[in-house]
Amino acid sequence: MLSQFVSEAQDERIPLYPANAIPNFQKTSEVEKRDTTGTLRISLVQQPDITVYLPTRGIATGQAVVICPGGGYGILAYDKEGTDFAKWLNAKGIAGIILKYRLPNSKSNLVPHQSPLLDAKRAIRLVRANASKWNIHPNKVGIMGFSAGGHLASTLGTHFDAGDPSAKDAVERISSRPDFMILAYPVITMSKPNTHEGSRNNLIGTNPTEEMVKLYSNELQVTKETPPTFIVHATDDKGVPVENSLSFYQALKTNGVPAEMHLYPKGGHGFGLATGQGYLETWPDRLADWLKSIK
């Protein structure tokens, strides 16, 4: 019976919100698009969800990671920066939960910049609400993000809330603070010259106010309550300058937040697991070590 449960739990897709209760949403003629040429690329997300990959109970550590694929806030690189890592985490005894979050360039958003963070908060709450069912410890739920997904993960880590105790939906009463963060070649700042223009334009527009730039420049939003963080980046990244990670690491250090950063001289942008890329492909081993070390 146990093995049957685990098998059924693999690749279980769950809507983030109850039917007809998606916040910041309006129905339009748009439909979700999936491009399967090469890696799976998802765009125009209308119904956000999580897909749950669980390890076998015999090796489960109780940790869980909500994974935010990148794609410049325009698409989601769902396989390379989602499914691949969920399966890698499972092999380490960790639940991997892929977040298919709404993208701000969809007309279905009432306020475009709000939807990704709303979905990330909801994903953390939903995992904690199902922690017992999925053999997860509710205080071992982290977030992982790649590129623009790293911006979303770092936004959650600096803009979380304790939950709404008066909410009718019990899930909304749960804290959205991740217990740890994993950021791979992340977009961090919305300030020039180091921002990623595509992510910035999609999230806050081509002519944002200074207030919006500051709000989503997450190196400026770190506090002592920001969760412990693991960062990996390549120095030769031409898409998202390494200064994004450097500034975030410095902000974590200044605020006394435990942080580990690994910088590689070569690797470019979007290397994912970095399979076949020399010693860069050992970076997930460093992550595995770190995940074992955090409390």
Side-chain angles (χ1 to χ4, degrees):
M1 182 64 70
L2 177 59
S3 62
Q4 181 184 3
F5 168 79
V6 172
S7 177
E8 289 175 351
Q10 295 286 355
D11 198 15
E12 181 183 2
R13 184 171 297 167
I14 300 171
L16 274 187
Y17 306 99
N20 302 316
I22 302 175
N24 195 45
F25 177 81
Q26 59 185 351
K27 182 66 176 175
T28 70
S29 60
E30 288 182 339
V31 294
E32 179 178 300
K33 293 184 178 180
R34 289 177 170 244
D35 181 356
T36 57
T37 56
T39 187
L40 173 59
R41 297 156 62 93
I42 300 176
S43 59
L44 300 179
V45 174
Q46 303 298 302
Q47 304 288 331
D49 61 41
I50 54 174
T51 301
V52 182
Y53 288 80
L54 298 179
T56 57
R57 283 182 176 260
I59 65 168
T61 65
Q63 287 179 316
V65 178
V66 173
I67 306 167
C68 304
Y73 281 122
I75 61 100
L76 301 178
Y78 198 84
D79 284 349
K80 184 178 181 181
E81 296 173 349
T83 309
D84 288 353
F85 274 87
K87 293 176 179 178
W88 179 87
L89 287 164
N90 280 183
K92 306 298 180 184
I94 302 165
I97 296 151
I98 310 167
L99 172 60
K100 188 182 74 176
Y101 57 93
R102 286 172 291 162
L103 298 160
N105 60 354
S106 170
K107 295 176 182 177
S108 62
N109 298 295
L110 294 173
V111 183
H113 70 88
Q114 292 181 357
S115 289
L117 181 56
L118 284 169
D119 293 351
K121 287 181 175 182
R122 179 72 180 190
I124 293 288
R125 300 191 218 275
L126 199 55
V127 172
R128 289 194 170 121
N130 287 279
S132 178
K133 173 185 174 184
W134 295 338
N135 197 29
I136 291 167
H137 195 293
N139 292 328
K140 293 184 178 181
V141 180
I143 189 126
M144 180 180 200
F146 301 82
S147 192
H151 184 266
L152 177 55
S154 65
T155 303
L156 179 63
T158 52
H159 296 72
F160 57 83
D161 62 72
D164 180 1
S166 63
K168 293 182 179 179
D169 182 352
V171 174
E172 289 298 313
R173 301 174 202 151
I174 300 172
S175 171
S176 65
R177 180 186 182 272
D179 294 303
F180 55 89
M181 287 194 294
I182 304 162
L183 307 177
Y185 38 89
V187 178
I188 293 293
T189 190
M190 290 288 114
S191 298
K192 298 179 179 181
N194 291 322
T195 190
H196 178 252
E197 289 283 349
S199 296
R200 169 178 154 135
N201 291 346
N202 281 331
L203 184 65
I204 59 176
T206 56
N207 189 30
T209 65
E210 283 302 313
E211 181 182 14
M212 287 292 287
V213 170
K214 182 178 179 181
L215 179 68
Y216 285 110
S217 290
N218 293 327
E219 77 278 12
L220 304 178
Q221 304 298 330
V222 175
T223 71
K224 62 180 181 169
E225 301 302 321
T226 301
T229 303
F230 177 99
I231 306 171
V232 62
H233 215 127
T235 304
D236 68 346
D237 191 331
K238 298 293 194 295
V240 177
V242 71
E243 282 77 10
N244 282 265
S245 287
L246 294 172
S247 64
F248 198 69
Y249 178 85
Q250 183 60 59
L252 294 166
K253 180 176 179 292
T254 298
N255 284 275
V257 177
E260 179 170 319
M261 180 167 64
H262 293 268
L263 301 180
Y264 291 82
K266 296 182 182 296
H269 188 69
F271 49 77
L273 285 167
T275 303
Q277 296 189 47
Y279 76 97
L280 177 61
E281 72 178 6
T282 66
W283 85 260
D285 297 331
R286 308 289 74 77
L287 173 58
D289 293 339
W290 182 77
L291 286 166
K292 290 178 184 176
S293 74
I294 58 177
K295 304 298 182 183

